[in-house]
Amino acid sequence: RALEEHARQIEALVAANRALEEKHQAQVEQHQAQVDEVKAECREKCESLERRCGVLEARCGSLERSIQVLKKDIGWTYK
C-alpha cells in the first residue's frame, strides 16, 4: 500500500515536471521570437544608418572639394 502511494506521488511529480518543462519551453520560444524580432529591427536600422552615412560622406566630400576650389580661386581676407 505504501509503495502504491509512493508510485502515485512519483507519477504526479513526473506529470507536474513535464508540465513545467512544456511551459518553460514555450517561454523560451516566445523570448527567442522577441529577440529575433528586435535583432531584425536593429539590423534594418543599422542598414538604414549605413546608407544615410554613405550619403552624408559623399555630400561632405563634395563640400570639401568645393571649399578647396574656392580657396584656390579667391584670396580670402577679413576686415
Side-chain angles (χ1 to χ4, degrees), residues 3-46:
L3 288 177
E4 291 172 0
E5 180 60 29
H6 280 38
R8 277 192 292 276
Q9 289 175 348
I10 289 171
E11 289 172 5
L13 289 171
V14 167
N17 187 46
R18 191 171 296 127
L20 287 173
E21 272 186 42
E22 290 171 2
K23 181 178 178 180
H24 178 258
Q25 185 61 35
Q27 289 175 337
V28 167
E29 290 171 5
Q30 180 184 8
H31 289 152
Q32 186 61 53
Q34 291 171 340
V35 167
D36 291 344
E37 184 178 332
V38 169
K39 281 173 58 178
E41 290 170 2
C42 288
R43 194 175 302 113
E44 287 178 26
K45 184 69 172 176
C46 182

